[in-house]
Each structure stands twice: as C-alpha cells, then as structure tokens.
Amino acid sequence: MGYDFRREMKRSLRSAVLIRRAAYVLAFGGFLLAGGRLAAGSHVLLPADDAASIQASAAGNGRESEAPPLVSLFNWRVKAGDDPAWARPDHDDSGWENREIAGRFAGIGTFWLRKTVEVTGRFSESDPPMISIYNLPSAFEVFWDGELIGCNGRWGRDRGQEFPGTTRFLQAFSPRRAEPGVHLLAIRISNFHVQGKTIVTGIGLGPLGVMNGYLRRMVEKRLVSMGLYFVAALFGFFLFIRRRKNFAFLYFGGFSLLFFLHSLWIYLIERMGLRLGPFAVIEVFIIFGIPAAFIMLDAFLLWHYDFRPRPVYLAGLALAMAGAAVFGSGLVGIQARLIAVPVAFGFVLAVILAVRGKRGWGMALVGTAIPFANHVLIFFIPGLTPFLEALPGYAEMVLTALVLSMFMGIIALCVRDENRSLEILRIRSQRLSAELLKKSIQPHFIMNTLLSAQSWFGRDPDKAGRLIEALAEEFRIISRIVSELEIDLAEEIALCRSHLELMGYRRDAVYRLVVNGDVSRLKTPPMLFHTLIENGLTHAFEARENGTFTLTCESRPGEVEFQLENDGSR
C-alpha cells in the first residue's frame, strides 16, 4: 500500500485544529482560575474569628472612614436550647458551634446566635445604627449588649406560644447604645412552624441611611433582573411557537421563566416581607427552581447542538445530581450541590462545543463560565464568595445581561442561518416550479394524450371524454400546486390518482392507488409521488397490464416514513 500524502496531510491539519481549540479552552480555564485566585487574594476579607468591625461617621471632623459603613455579619456562635443568660456579653460561648450563617443551619426548637461586633467611630442621631435580618421567617428576639431592641413575631417555647414573623426584619436603635468599642449582638430564635431547617441568607449592620440605600438598590436591581429574564422568556417561547418542534427554544424560555419567577419571589421578600404561610408554600420552588432552571439550560444546549445520544447525556446528568443529593452533605447544602451539578454539566458541554468548533461555541463558553464561577469555583477558590458578594450592585445585572445575551446570540445565529436556508430553498423552489410546469406540459405528452383521445372517439366516445376530463383535472391541480413549497398529502394523492386514470385510458389498462395510514395532516413537496408513480408506470408495467400502487405512511415522533410499491411484472 502506497503512502497517501494528501490524506496524511489532511489528517495532520485536522489534529492541529483540534489541538488549537483545546488549547484555547485550556487557556480560557487557566485565565478563569488565575483571575479568580488573584481577585480573591487581593480582596480584604472579614476577620476569621467571631468579631466584625463596622465604621460609622467620625464625630467632630465630619469625615468618612475608609472602612465600609455597612457589613454583612458572618461566623456566628450557635447553640440549641434557651437560657436568658446567653444574651449577656459576659457569657462564655467558647464551647458553642461556629457557623457561617449562610443557608439552612438549625432544626425545630429554640436556639441562640451570638456575635461580637467592634464599632469604631460614632453614629449620629439622624443616621442611627440599623440591624437587617433577611429570610428568617421564624420568630426571634434581638439583643444588643444584653438588652432587647426588637423582635420578629412572638418567640415561644412551643408551637402554641410561637407566632412566626416575616422574611424581612429591620430594626434601628439608639446611637448611644453603639458607642465605639466591642458589643455583643445576640438573637434568640424559636422555630416550631418552619418545616425542616431554618433559612438565613443575610444579617447586616450599618447606618440607617446607608442601609436604606442598600435595600433600595437591591430592589431596583431585582426589578432590572426580572425585566431581563421576562423578555428572554418571551423571546424563547415566541420562537418556539413560530418554529414548532424546536424544543431548544422552549427550554431556553423555561430557563428564563424560572429565573424570572425566582427574581419575583426575592423581590417580594425584599420589598414586602412575607409571612410564613406563603413563604412555606413557595419555599419548595426556591429550593428546586434554580437547579431546574440550569437543567433547562443544559437541555437547550443538548437540543440546539443535537448532542447524540441525548439519553446518555441526560442519564449522566441525572446520576450526577442523584449522587450530589445523596453524598457531600457535610460539605455544602443540598441546594448548592443540586445547582453546582447542572452548572458544571453545561460548562462541560460548552467545552465540547469549543473542541468540536461548533458555530457559537465562544458564546456558549462565556454564557456557561459565569454561572460556573459563581456556583462551582466558589468551592475550590478560597475567598471567591466574599469577593463576588462585594461586587458593585450593578455587577449582577451586567452578568445577568451578559449570560442571557450570549444564549440569545446563539439563538440569533440559528435563526439567521435558518432564514438564509429558507431563502435558498425559496429560490430553488421557484426554479423547480418552472421545471415541474415545463415537465407537465411537454408537447409530446399532450400530443400522445390527444392522439389517444382521438382513437377512443371512434371506438368509445364516453371514454374519450373521460380521458380529456382527466387531463384537464391533472392540469388544474398542477397549476394550483406548482408554486407551493408544501401541499397537503391528500392533494398530492388526488393528483396521482388523476394521472393514473389518465394513463389508464392512454394505455388501455386500469391503475389504482391504495393508501395505508392516516394522511390527513401530512405535508409533502408538490409532485413528489407523482414523479415516482410516473417512473413506475414507465419501467414496471407492460402495455395493457393492470396494476396497483400502494403508498404506506408510518408516523413516529419527529418523523414520518413513506413507502411506495407497485405490482408491475417488470
């Protein structure tokens, strides 16, 4: 066997292209990891122990300190049970459990949270200190240096005594209680009505004006995110309706709709402060809605880029999510694990697209890399979570718009390609229409048909009349369908039967067309089966030989199979 230089050269070039694309992917991942570590390493983190520092406006000089005026409080001491002495600053809580307080952290019953806070500078009477507790619908009391300063609902030792509060708690207190120095913030919680474990996603402390401004920006940011997701959902569903059976558009619309509903839910919590009833009902959606949204995004990539075999990919995703739900409970919460798996799966799909060089792979990679950094890399890059939380308020809106624009860009490329294909098909259809019309009115076909009619006039005038009527009916149907891209299969069958009747008169034979299957809703290009039957008459039957054509239609999900047979002797 000789050495094929051209074949080997093409193979080498293909390998080089694959290696280059893989290098791009690795470089992108390297930059992502390096950038995350750099950003996390350069960010000033909160203290690692149980003390946090808050800087108020300096008294007397009218200057703002360099320290942030508003902080989120992490690293709390947690203990189940109840003892009023636990509110005192001098109580020894060194044996209590340390928790970050970012998610579900306690069960049914009563328990306490304690944290020391260092205040430097002085608050003013017009801008007093304020405590914000977000997403804790059970009942609780808040103590500052052992003194009760506010409550949410009514704390109780059992279910009968407890009256749950709302999901948004804001409490301002006297600046004289927040003099510079170390203070103790304690929260006494009873949780008998919230099923499962209690949720806390944020406890903050800061000046009243800054806190109100922060909350206002959060609400405005949520409204913008809701608008972005709502428009994207309409975009996906509209394309699905216009382009039927393209489920990729449906999945993208579902992804956007789930995030819209999630943003709406957070907006209601932040703006209104929901009580336990509606909170408990919709909490299930909050836990599973975001993982479901990212599963929809994975399905969009699988269907849009036609990954095969899709069942294998979906089974792999399902097994990974099942494993995440069962294992790893000691590391992160179940919601975080169920989100991380489909996010990582989508990023892997984008990497595969990049290696294969599929159209729009760059946008897919960027669109999946942002959620990947936010939901997966945070487990591997120390300090990335505080860095992401410290980003400006508009950063979330910008990232949301970027992710949606990437996937909408992929869809736009698909729509543009489809429009180009349709334009090409339209031009070809016009040419085919002209060719079909010329083929159907060929002079020799008309001449032979008229000669057959002339011969029948002498022997059987009625049959000659039926022959001319069949010719007129065939031309009538052809003139009606020749300019269409698709026609009803029933109309194509009527044309074929008219042609068989005509050819039967010409060849002194009887031809039939038998149809098996439901053809009421099927479409076909014009004169497709007419051409096949015409060829069958020419090559399968002898002169004056009767015959039958059988058209069988079998419909399956997503496709239809046709089979045309004849019983000719040739």
Side-chain angles (χ1 to χ4, degrees):
M1 181 181 295
Y3 180 76
D4 192 336
F5 178 78
R6 292 184 178 178
R7 183 177 61 186
E8 294 299 326
M9 179 61 72
K10 290 181 179 180
R11 184 180 301 171
S12 300
L13 290 175
R14 284 196 298 268
S15 300
V17 170
L18 291 176
I19 293 173
R20 185 172 66 253
R21 289 170 181 167
Y24 284 141
V25 173
L26 291 175
F28 181 83
F31 282 127
L32 190 64
L33 286 172
R37 288 188 177 276
L38 178 62
S42 62
H43 183 64
V44 179
L45 304 180
L46 292 175
D49 58 8
D50 63 341
S53 163
I54 179 169
Q55 183 73 39
S57 300
N61 54 19
R63 294 179 301 159
E64 291 290 330
S65 168
E66 295 180 357
L70 174 65
V71 294
S72 295
L73 303 179
F74 299 99
N75 302 317
W76 290 73
R77 306 273 185 163
V78 182
K79 185 173 182 178
D82 177 56
D83 187 343
W86 293 351
R88 296 201 304 263
D90 58 355
H91 179 76
D92 182 13
D93 58 11
S94 58
W96 290 25
E97 180 185 4
N98 283 317
R99 297 299 297 267
E100 182 181 333
I101 309 301
R104 294 165 173 261
F105 71 96
I108 300 296
T110 61
F111 50 93
W112 282 71
L113 307 178
R114 284 170 55 97
K115 179 166 187 65
T116 56
V117 180
E118 181 182 0
V119 177
T120 59
R122 296 183 182 277
F123 293 96
S124 65
E125 292 292 340
S126 61
D127 202 15
M130 173 176 279
I131 295 175
S132 169
I133 302 177
Y134 167 57
N135 212 5
L136 180 59
S138 54
F140 58 84
E141 299 173 342
V142 180
F143 296 84
W144 181 265
D145 290 337
E147 296 184 18
L148 179 66
I149 62 173
C151 58
N152 186 39
R154 185 181 64 205
W155 186 93
R157 298 185 181 276
D158 53 39
R159 185 179 178 89
Q161 294 181 354
E162 179 190 86
F163 184 79
T166 65
T167 57
R168 165 57 71 193
F169 173 81
L170 296 171
Q171 180 66 55
F173 56 100
S174 173
R176 292 188 296 274
R177 294 181 175 179
E179 294 290 332
V182 177
H183 300 268
L184 176 74
L185 177 61
I187 305 175
R188 183 192 193 192
I189 303 173
S190 67
N191 180 41
F192 294 97
H193 288 80
V194 178
Q195 299 298 319
K197 296 183 178 180
T198 303
I199 297 175
V200 178
T201 56
I203 302 178
L205 176 63
L208 173 63
V210 178
M211 182 73 76
N212 286 335
Y214 171 75
L215 296 177
R216 184 176 61 254
R217 289 191 298 272
M218 286 183 63
V219 171
E220 293 172 353
K221 178 180 64 176
R222 195 64 58 189
L223 287 173
V224 174
S225 298
M226 288 167 54
L228 292 173
Y229 287 122
F230 184 72
V231 171
L234 290 181
F235 178 73
F237 292 141
F238 176 77
L239 288 178
F240 174 72
I241 294 173
R242 290 294 302 272
R243 288 169 166 80
R244 297 178 181 178
K245 298 183 180 179
N246 193 335
F247 287 95
F249 299 147
L250 177 64
Y251 296 139
F252 177 75
F255 159 78
S256 303
L257 178 63
L258 288 174
F259 264 102
F260 165 75
L261 294 176
H262 179 265
S263 297
L264 176 61
W265 164 250
I266 300 300
Y267 170 78
L268 293 176
I269 292 177
E270 295 171 347
R271 182 72 174 178
M272 302 174 60
L274 298 181
R275 291 198 172 273
L276 178 64
F279 177 88
V281 172
I282 310 178
E283 182 193 4
V284 176
F285 168 77
I286 298 302
I287 295 175
F288 297 103
I290 300 303
F294 283 112
I295 292 174
M296 288 278 189
L297 192 61
D298 295 341
F300 165 75
L301 293 174
L302 288 173
W303 263 258
H304 182 76
Y305 287 101
D306 198 23
F307 279 87
R308 299 288 182 172
R310 279 197 293 261
V312 174
Y313 285 96
L314 293 175
L317 175 59
L319 289 175
M321 295 195 68
V326 175
F327 303 103
S329 58
L331 301 175
V332 293
I334 183 172
Q335 185 186 23
R337 300 198 305 273
L338 292 180
I339 292 175
V341 170
V343 168
F345 185 81
F347 184 72
V348 171
L349 292 179
V351 172
I352 295 174
L353 294 175
V355 174
R356 295 178 179 178
K358 293 292 186 178
R359 184 170 175 81
W361 66 266
M363 289 185 288
L365 197 60
V366 173
T368 56
I370 294 174
F372 183 74
N374 194 38
H375 295 286
V376 179
L377 290 185
I378 56 174
F379 302 131
F380 302 99
I381 301 179
L384 183 57
T385 298
F387 168 73
L388 294 175
E389 292 178 349
L391 290 175
Y394 59 82
E396 180 180 347
M397 295 183 291
V398 172
L399 294 177
T400 298
L402 182 59
V403 171
L404 291 176
S405 63
M406 291 298 101
F407 290 104
M408 292 173 73
I410 293 173
I411 295 176
L413 287 177
C414 173
V415 173
R416 187 179 67 176
D417 291 342
E418 288 183 358
N419 289 337
R420 288 179 176 176
S421 299
L422 289 175
E423 182 64 20
I424 293 173
L425 290 175
R426 185 185 65 81
I427 296 173
R428 291 180 178 176
S429 175
Q430 291 176 349
R431 294 176 180 174
L432 288 175
S433 297
E435 294 294 330
L436 288 173
L437 189 58
K438 287 191 297 182
K439 178 180 179 299
S440 301
I441 58 175
Q442 291 177 358
H444 76 272
F445 174 78
I446 298 176
M447 181 183 65
N448 292 336
T449 303
L450 293 177
L451 289 175
S452 298
Q454 183 182 19
S455 66
W456 281 110
F457 270 121
R459 293 177 293 167
D460 191 341
D462 292 338
K463 182 173 289 189
R466 290 195 298 270
L467 188 152
I468 293 176
E469 290 176 359
L471 177 63
E473 177 64 20
E474 183 171 352
F475 279 177
R476 188 181 301 113
I477 297 175
I478 290 174
S479 64
R480 185 171 63 250
I481 68 174
V482 72
S483 60
E484 300 292 332
L485 294 177
E486 285 186 333
I487 61 173
D488 293 334
L489 183 55
E491 195 167 19
E492 176 75 8
I493 291 173
L495 173 63
C496 293
R497 284 174 171 161
S498 177
H499 184 71
L500 288 175
E501 182 183 6
L502 172 64
M503 296 304 295
Y505 293 138
R506 282 184 49 181
R507 304 179 67 171
D508 195 15
V510 177
Y511 301 116
R512 297 188 308 129
L513 174 60
V514 178
V515 179
N516 297 325
D518 184 13
V519 299
S520 58
R521 298 182 179 179
L522 299 180
K523 299 284 188 177
T524 181
M527 300 188 70
L528 174 64
F529 294 104
H530 177 277
T531 303
L532 296 176
I533 287 177
E534 189 177 35
N535 291 334
L537 289 172
T538 303
H539 301 288
F541 294 93
E542 299 287 351
R544 296 185 176 83
E545 179 185 359
N546 298 332
T548 301
F549 288 85
T550 304
L551 176 62
T552 303
C553 308
E554 294 185 7
S555 298
R556 291 187 289 270
E559 63 180 14
V560 179
E561 180 180 332
F562 296 102
Q563 187 173 358
L564 182 64
E565 300 175 319
N566 65 69
D567 57 359
S569 59
R570 291 187 183 179

